[in-house]
Amino acid sequence: MRRDYIETMKADGLGEFLDACEALKNCKFVIAEHKIAALLKAIADNKQLYSMFGTALYGFDYKVTFTESIGNGVFSLPSEPKKAIALVFRILLDIDSGKMSLQNFLEAYFYNTSINESYARFCLEIVAPFEKYCRSMFAQSDKITLAAERDGDPALAYENVNGKFRVNLKADALNCVAALKDIANSAITGAIDRAEFNACLNGLSHAVKSDDYDNIISAFLGVKYAVAYFFKSTKEALEIYRKLEYDIKHLAD
């Protein structure tokens, strides 16, 4: 994370986030996705919140936790607050990105004859506990942030709390690059095409390893277009690309 970007992030506590949670809980289904987007923006705009969610996501296995939470077709949050925070955050991200349909999610796990009643259950059983857990976790992480700021470096607070998350992002991004190379080496038959694709991946790998934030995005764009060209209908490659896209987005913020 570049320090100039950190300095532009807000550091005014939970206010905007809590307002966004209230708006999400009190709206109707028809505008829920807009409220989810506003909630995620409130997180992204606040360096303490962003750090807190980075901490919650470190080492978190979304697929396994989601599967564990839908035992017997009934969705229930994990009992561990940090894991619950990470799970709900990832669900909201998937809804906002279009990877998961909010309506399908509600109909599968919060079914009611009225979609608004289904949404009300979702808010009561998922959003409300999420907000409560976030309040508690923020209070703990805020103490760390304030201590670092008293030591004279506002950006240090962000970097200390978020450091492990970024290490995890880098490792995952490099693993994705390696996986795409393996697929390319077996699927792209033309030597020149294969070499060009691997050159794009090598450029991204170098940028990630060297924390070259200015080049991460430009290198990733090359990979993006190459994946779209060679693997637009290859499910395995596209799934790896989506993971890589998530990692790169947060590394280059």
Side-chain angles (χ1 to χ4, degrees), residues 174-196:
L174 294 172
N175 286 336
C176 289
V177 168
L180 286 174
K181 278 188 178 182
D182 289 341
I183 294 174
N185 289 334
S186 62
I188 300 178
T189 56
I192 294 177
D193 288 340
R194 187 167 59 248
E196 289 181 351

Side-chain angles (χ1 to χ4, degrees), residues 57 60 62 85-95 99-100 246:
L57 287 165
F60 174 70
Y62 178 39
I85 289 172
L87 177 60
V88 177
F89 180 68
R90 284 299 308 274
I91 288 172
L92 295 178
L93 279 177
D94 278 0
I95 292 170
K99 291 170 64 176
M100 178 188 293
Y246 174 85

